[in-house]
Each structure stands twice: as C-alpha cells, then as structure tokens.
Amino acid sequence: MNYRKGYLVLSLTAAAILYSCGSGNSQENAQQMQQALPTDFIQVKSGDADVSTGYPGSIEGQDNVEIKAQVTGYLEAVYIKEGQYVSKGQTLFRINPSVYNEQVNTNAAALKAALAAQETARLEVEKLKPLVEGKVVSEMQLKTAQASYKAAAAQVAQAQSSLGSSKINAGFTYIKAPVSGYIGRIPNRVGNLISPSDPSPLTTLSSINTVNVYFSMNEADFIAHSRAASGNNAENVELILADGSTYSFKGKLENASGNFDRNTGSIQMKAVFQNPDKLLRAGGTARVMIHNALNGVVKLPKTSVKDIQDRFFVYKLNGKDKVKMTQIQVSGSTSQDYFIKEGVNAGDKIAINRIDALTDGAQVVATVIPSK
C-alpha cells in the first residue's frame, strides 16, 4: 500500500510539472503574437520620376533702358504717359530747341563763309598758274596761293563738322524710344531744367515681349542640373505667378553669371519666357520651377522614412514576420516622396506605417499592399 501511494504521488507531481511547462509555452507564444504589430508594406519598384525644384525670382524685361537727356535745356513737352506702350522711334520728350537751332544757323553761315573763302583761294591759284608759266610772277607766289587754298579747304571741313555736331545736338532735343516697350515713372514735368548729368532718368523703358526671370541656384543644385542636362534629359521650366497660378508658356534656362558668389555659394541664373500677352511686367516676382526627368529611380513615400539626426532609415521586411532597420541615402525629393540613392533596391518590401513604433528586429504581421 505504501508503495502504491508513493507511485501515485510521483505520477501526480510529474503531470503537474508537464502541465506547468506546456502552459508556460502557450502563454509565451500568445504574448509574442500580441506583440507582433500589424504593419503595411509596399514592394519597391524602379521607374521614371519628375523632380521639380522652385526658386524665387524677379522679372525683368529683356531690354530695360533708362531714358536720359543728351543735351541741357528746359523740358518743353511730354508726349507719353506712365505705363503707356510705345514703339521704337516714337518721340517721348522735347527739350526747348531754340538755342540748338540757333547754333545750327550759326554753323551753317560759317560753312557758307568757309566755302566762299575756299572758292576765292581756288580762283587765286587758277589765276597765278599761267602767270608763273609766263614768268610774270614767281613760283613762290603760286605755292603761297596753293597753301591758302588748302587752309580754306580745311576751314570748310571744320565748318561742316561743326554744322553736323550742332544738327545732332538739335536732334537730341527730341528724345525718342530706342526700343518698343512700356514707359515707367516720369518724375520730371514741363518746365524742369534737364541735363545729361541728372542722377535720375527721364523715364525707364522696358521691352517685355520676352522677359528674363533672375534667381540664384546653390552649388549642389547647379551641379545636379548640369549633370541632368548633359545626360540629354528633358527639361521643363515653369513659372508660378504671384497669385499661385502657373504661367501658360514654358521657359528656357540660361546662365546669368559664369561664377559662384563666394559669400553666398550661389550662382545667378535666368529663365527666359515669351510674353506675347504682356502679362509679365518688369519688377514683378514669380517662382521658377525647374523640372528634371529621372529614369530608373527608386522612390519611397516620405511617411515610410525615419529621420534620426539628419540620417534616414527604413524598415525592410526580413523573412515573413520581422523587420530590419536599414540606413538609406537620398538623392532628391518631391513634396511627397524621397528618391533613394543607396540602401533600397527594387523588390524590397518597406514598411509604410508604424514607423515610430517599430524597432530593429521587431516582429510584425505583414500586409503587402500594391504600390502606386
């Protein structure tokens, strides 16, 4: 009887131990299942993408001309209004021409006198030639007469030059448009004394059939753009206007400077736009958007990337139910996506949610959703 009781006690103890072990494994498995996070993944694909970068710019007409007087005088007439469109050669202002017209008259009279003196000197030479041949007068007298004729001819040339200069100055009293465009501010009024040394111009004239939008590009962007251009990638330059709308014409990008500014580390660029409707005006502002097409790039939504002290990480699906934290390098971005340079390849499955809750090696319940 004692033997049977001992055997029963041992059997019950062994059963209790086995039950306890089995119960512990089940609880551990249940806890692991509870800790696994339901996580969505996308399978990465490579494809084409459009990278756009915006730069604030200032608009200038292709020809911006300061209109200044070339002679001194009182402003007698203003033929245009501020903001008016004028054609090349159109008269804009008139300075009182009386003084300059009188100079023309004086120089014209001086020219006539010089021509008369030249004719007199010529006649004297013609008169002396036969007398020298007949030895009536000396050859020295003929040479003197010929010298006088040359001096008279020089006087004629000088008088002609003076007359031409006075006519040019008289013409400068009528100030005309050197190019077609829009008139700017007109600070002077009729009766003001105008001089070429005035610090302010009579007005400015802006030709805006074509406009240049100037902006600064940093060195890294310039290198990236130059490489894209050398690779014959298509390039579109758009203009975002002050009201947020996109300008209807595409532009062309050009260098506005050959060197980087040492102080700012940037280089001046310009985007050239046609402006047939005259919507763009000099002095305005706009945002230049440069688009570069990239082929065969891997992109990820920004929501799938973890930024830790300016380093970027993603969670790759490792096997069926674990993630691996992987550092990546970014080559560019849009408002929604990163373009991946290193760390992710086509075919990898990347977590797109639970980014803040996941850790390296964490267990997940993975759901792969189609990538867009």
Side-chain angles (χ1 to χ4, degrees):
M1 292 294 292
N2 291 335
Y3 173 77
R4 289 181 178 177
K5 288 181 180 179
Y7 178 77
L8 179 61
V9 170
L10 289 172
S11 299
L12 291 173
T13 302
I17 293 172
L18 290 173
Y19 175 80
S20 176
C21 291
S23 175
N25 289 336
S26 299
Q27 289 176 359
E28 183 178 352
N29 291 335
Q31 289 176 355
Q32 288 177 351
M33 291 297 292
Q34 289 177 355
Q35 291 175 355
L37 295 174
T39 307
D40 294 334
F41 291 80
I42 57 171
Q43 188 164 6
V44 177
K45 297 178 181 179
S46 64
D48 299 337
D50 176 76
V51 181
S52 60
T53 311
Y55 303 90
S58 59
I59 302 171
E60 293 187 15
Q62 194 170 48
D63 295 314
N64 288 313
V65 183
E66 289 188 345
I67 307 299
K68 285 195 169 187
Q70 292 181 271
V71 292
T72 300
Y74 289 98
L75 186 61
E76 191 172 70
V78 178
Y79 297 108
I80 39 87
K81 296 180 180 179
E82 294 174 339
Q84 179 182 340
Y85 182 83
V86 298
S87 301
K88 180 179 180 179
Q90 183 175 336
T91 302
L92 309 178
F93 305 94
R94 185 180 78 240
I95 295 173
N96 190 311
S98 301
V99 173
Y100 300 99
N101 289 340
E102 287 303 316
Q103 289 178 353
V104 171
N105 294 335
T106 299
N107 289 328
L111 176 59
K112 290 179 180 180
L115 287 170
Q118 182 186 32
E119 181 63 15
T120 299
R122 187 188 68 80
L123 293 174
E124 181 67 16
V125 170
E126 294 299 324
K127 181 184 74 174
L128 290 176
K129 281 182 179 180
L131 295 178
V132 171
E133 292 176 356
K135 297 185 179 181
V136 176
V137 297
S138 67
E139 188 176 349
M140 183 59 68
Q141 287 179 297
L142 177 60
K143 290 182 178 180
T144 301
Q146 289 173 335
S148 298
Y149 174 76
K150 290 181 181 179
Q155 290 294 325
V156 169
Q158 185 176 6
Q160 287 175 333
S161 177
S162 297
L163 178 60
S165 296
S166 61
K167 285 182 176 180
I168 290 173
N169 287 334
F172 284 153
T173 60
Y174 291 85
I175 300 171
K176 299 182 179 182
V179 295
S180 298
Y182 283 89
I183 295 295
R185 183 172 174 270
I186 304 174
N188 291 290
R189 296 294 179 262
V190 172
N192 287 11
L193 181 63
I194 305 301
S195 170
S197 61
D198 290 343
S200 298
L202 291 170
T203 189
T204 56
L205 184 58
S206 179
S207 174
I208 58 172
N209 291 327
T210 301
V211 299
N212 299 327
V213 185
Y214 289 90
F215 63 96
S216 295
M217 180 181 285
N218 63 47
E219 188 171 359
D221 286 355
F222 178 80
I223 293 172
H225 167 73
S226 299
R227 285 175 175 169
S230 64
N232 295 322
N233 284 2
E235 173 189 285
N236 278 328
V237 181
E238 292 182 329
L239 196 64
I240 308 301
L241 304 181
D243 64 353
S245 63
T246 301
Y247 186 55
S248 54
F249 293 90
K250 299 291 178 62
K252 177 184 177 183
L253 194 62
E254 296 181 359
N255 287 352
S257 174
N259 301 306
F260 285 95
D261 188 319
R262 293 181 181 272
N263 297 321
T264 63
S266 61
I267 190 170
Q268 279 290 309
M269 305 289 289
K270 67 178 179 181
V272 183
F273 292 87
Q274 297 299 314
N275 190 31
D277 299 329
K278 309 298 188 293
L279 179 62
L280 305 178
R281 299 296 181 94
T285 58
R287 189 169 184 82
V288 178
M289 299 298 296
I290 300 176
H291 297 268
N292 286 320
L294 301 179
N295 300 321
V297 295
V298 172
K299 65 178 181 179
L300 289 175
K302 288 185 175 180
T303 55
S304 68
V305 178
K306 194 169 188 176
D307 185 352
I308 303 176
Q309 296 182 346
D310 295 329
R311 294 190 299 170
F312 299 102
F313 298 87
V314 295
Y315 290 99
K316 289 183 183 180
L317 184 61
N318 188 16
K320 292 183 178 181
D321 59 357
K322 289 187 178 182
V323 293
K324 181 180 180 182
M325 188 176 182
T326 305
Q327 185 174 351
I328 62 172
Q329 290 188 14
V330 173
S331 61
S333 66
T334 66
S335 59
Q336 296 180 340
D337 299 313
Y338 282 121
F339 299 104
I340 309 305
K341 183 178 180 181
E342 291 182 7
V344 174
N345 299 312
D348 290 340
K349 297 180 178 68
I350 305 298
I352 59 173
N353 63 355
R354 309 281 189 182
I355 301 301
D356 294 329
L358 292 175
T359 57
D360 187 35
Q363 286 191 323
V364 295
V365 178
T367 301
V368 180
I369 62 175
S371 58
K372 297 180 179 180

